[in-house]
Amino acid sequence: MTERTDRREPLPAAQQRVRFVELADRSMTALLAGDLPAAGVTAGVALSEYFVTDRAKWLWRLRLGQMAADPVGARWMVRFAVVGADGSVVGHCGFHGPPDAAGMVEIGYSVAPEFRRRGYARAMLVELLRRAAAEPVVETVRATISPDNAASLATIAGFGFAEVGEQWDDEDGLETIFEVPAGPSASAAD
């Protein structure tokens, strides 16, 4: 693991800007039921079918279980990534949970197919790194990526992530573990 002071200054800029809308348990429950209008009303944004796919429902189930077990940790979980004046929801992102005992948080992000290859994953990453840097308890940010996921590997390139190992994930298979120190430089990036 690199030292906290080794982070590149400043973070690479994202070409796109995103804002986050917290995904509350009521919205996730509606999404699990396939009720996009109710989920959208609860969240205050219009949602596409992408948010009721089997993969998305798997995530909503997982996060609802985590939130029930640790309601305080819910603020770390999942957010919609929203862009533009029209409030288009381009995907979702967040942390896999609150920081662990060592101050590590793991990021996750997903872009709806119709919005891919436009820089939104990178914009989400920038905002997640800023959020982590703003939290004094966060020491390290982790990303776990399948070795054949070229898009995600390209997304984290240039952000100072170092490969620190591998792991087997029951859902995603083999993943490479990358980490970067959280630090104040993240909040200074534009």
Side-chain angles (χ1 to χ4, degrees):
M1 173 72 199
T2 58
E3 291 296 316
R4 188 176 186 100
T5 56
D6 287 346
R7 178 192 273 292
R8 295 179 184 176
E9 304 266 350
L11 285 174
Q15 297 300 310
Q16 302 290 348
R17 293 275 186 183
V18 296
R19 66 182 171 85
F20 293 153
V21 173
E22 189 169 342
L23 184 51
D25 57 353
R26 291 184 313 158
S27 294
M28 281 187 269
T29 301
L31 289 170
L32 277 173
D35 191 345
L36 282 172
V41 166
T42 303
V45 292
L47 301 169
S48 72
E49 294 290 325
Y50 178 67
F51 298 97
V52 292
T53 62
D54 288 343
R55 178 74 175 170
K57 286 182 177 182
W58 171 85
L59 180 64
W60 310 145
R61 237 183 255 91
L62 176 69
R63 295 298 181 238
L64 280 168
Q66 287 178 290
M67 291 171 159
D70 179 15
V72 174
R75 72 182 189 92
W76 289 90
M77 303 287 172
V78 65
R79 297 177 181 331
F80 289 125
V82 181
V83 300
D86 66 344
S88 295
V89 181
V90 298
H92 56 83
C93 62
F95 300 97
H96 289 216
D100 67 12
M104 187 275 296
V105 291
E106 185 173 344
I107 58 170
Y109 49 86
S110 183
V111 178
E114 64 270 25
F115 293 104
R116 291 182 182 156
R117 303 200 51 81
R118 297 187 197 174
Y120 293 123
R122 187 176 178 88
M124 286 185 235
L125 178 58
V126 167
E127 294 307 318
L128 289 169
L129 290 170
R130 285 182 178 165
R131 166 93 194 280
E135 295 282 345
V137 297
V138 177
E139 294 289 327
T140 305
V141 178
R142 174 178 286 177
T144 56
I145 302 172
S146 171
D148 63 352
N149 187 338
S152 279
L153 292 169
T155 297
I156 69 165
F159 284 88
F161 281 90
E163 184 177 330
V164 298
E166 293 180 336
Q167 69 181 20
W168 183 262
D169 182 87
D170 289 337
E171 184 69 23
D172 298 322
L174 180 66
E175 297 177 324
T176 305
I177 303 169
F178 297 91
E179 292 183 349
V180 66
S185 62
S187 61
D190 286 330

